[in-house]
Amino acid sequence: DADVTQTPRNRITKTGKRIMLECSQTKGHDRMYWYRQDPGLGLRLIYYSFDVKDINKGEISDGYSVSRQAQAKFSLSLESAIPNQTALYFCATSDPDRWEQYFGPGTRLTVT
Amino acid sequence: GDSVTQMEGPVTLSEEAFLTINCTYTATGYPSLFWYVQYPGEGLQLLLKATKADDKGSNKGFEATYRKETTSFHLEKGSVQVSDSAVYFCALIYSGGSNYKLTFGKGTLLTVNP
């Protein structure tokens, strides 16, 4: 089984809809992250969490919110989706003593 | 702020060709450097890393050496295979203060033809 899972893997939604992307991990890591990937722009950090009670904004948090429901679960919400939020979204985890991040398979979101 | 610049793609090679993907960085402290690989339809996977100057990271035939004097971490492989076709990302983590934020380059698409 994959260490970091994301649901859904693909989603098409309409402008103005609320949508939630979910991430679960079995690595036992405290740190979790949400990134978005756009062609030619690499990955950009949306939010990150060092533990259940710690949530921080990343580079591009406007239009997004997150919830850390448990050590293993970190959800990303788009309160009112807009077309320029069409992208590939990745969740990642890391151990604070090691700097590698472990990525989920991604969610491809299309906002029409 | 910290930044990573990597060569723009796409890069197209024939099987068994030599690969170099250039990566340079700007950082205020002493970063750790990484190469991540993204195979089609998958998330990113750590390919190799180096945590201090002159370290060489290696994995699956790929190598990269942390060159502090040139602020570079170029990825090389002597003989690529079709299965190496993927997007490659250079990244750094600043090792001082909050060591959480991976800064990525924009990625380089590699296609290897048989």
Side-chain angles (χ1 to χ4, degrees):
Chain A
D1 289 339
D3 295 321
V4 184
T5 57
Q6 294 183 233
T7 56
R9 292 294 311 278
N10 289 282
R11 180 71 182 268
I12 300 173
T13 192
K14 294 184 184 297
T15 297
K17 295 292 188 182
R18 183 179 189 276
I19 184 167
M20 179 182 288
L21 310 182
E22 298 186 336
C23 176
S24 294
Q25 53 113 348
T26 58
K27 297 193 74 66
H29 290 164
D30 287 326
R31 296 185 175 187
M32 298 187 74
Y33 311 81
W34 275 105
Y35 292 91
R36 77 176 264 177
Q37 182 182 21
D38 298 278
L41 294 179
L43 276 77
R44 294 179 290 168
L45 184 63
I46 306 173
Y47 270 94
Y48 61 99
S49 169
F50 283 176
D51 63 41
V52 174
K53 297 181 180 179
D54 179 77
I55 303 287
N56 302 279
K57 293 182 178 181
E59 307 170 61
I60 53 164
S61 58
D62 287 349
Y64 302 95
S65 62
V66 290
S67 173
R68 185 80 184 266
Q69 300 94 325
Q71 186 203 39
K73 296 184 182 297
F74 193 35
S75 300
L76 176 72
S77 293
L78 287 67
E79 297 302 324
S80 179
I82 56 177
N84 77 1
Q85 291 177 314
T86 293
L88 191 52
Y89 290 84
F90 287 102
C91 175
T93 74
S94 71
D95 183 317
D97 293 329
R98 298 172 62 85
W99 297 333
E100 299 102 274
Q101 294 188 9
Y102 297 85
F103 286 79
T107 294
R108 185 168 296 280
L109 176 66
T110 303
V111 183
T112 61
Chain B
D2 299 343
S3 66
V4 175
T5 303
Q6 61 182 102
M7 67 184 283
E8 298 202 9
V11 174
T12 303
L13 296 172
S14 297
E15 207 164 24
E16 299 184 1
F18 184 85
L19 169 71
T20 299
I21 301 178
N22 290 337
C23 172
T24 58
Y25 66 90
T26 302
T28 53
Y30 300 95
S32 289
L33 303 173
F34 304 85
W35 278 99
Y36 279 83
V37 59
Q38 183 181 25
Y39 298 105
E42 299 183 11
L44 279 72
Q45 304 173 24
L46 179 66
L47 180 60
L48 54 83
K49 69 176 181 180
T51 58
K52 62 183 187 296
D54 299 324
D55 270 1
K56 178 185 283 187
S58 61
N59 186 26
K60 300 182 180 179
F62 291 89
E63 294 183 338
T65 301
Y66 189 143
R67 302 286 188 199
K68 186 179 176 185
E69 63 276 13
T70 55
T71 61
S72 65
F73 193 54
H74 305 320
L75 182 68
E76 297 182 336
K77 186 173 185 182
S79 176
V80 293
Q81 305 300 311
V82 173
S83 57
D84 294 327
S85 298
V87 181
Y88 292 82
F89 292 92
C90 186
L92 68 81
I93 274 187
Y94 174 49
S95 57
S98 301
N99 60 340
Y100 66 90
K101 183 180 179 300
L102 263 176
T103 298
F104 286 92
K106 294 183 179 181
T108 302
L109 173 63
L110 170 66
T111 301
V112 180
N113 295 319

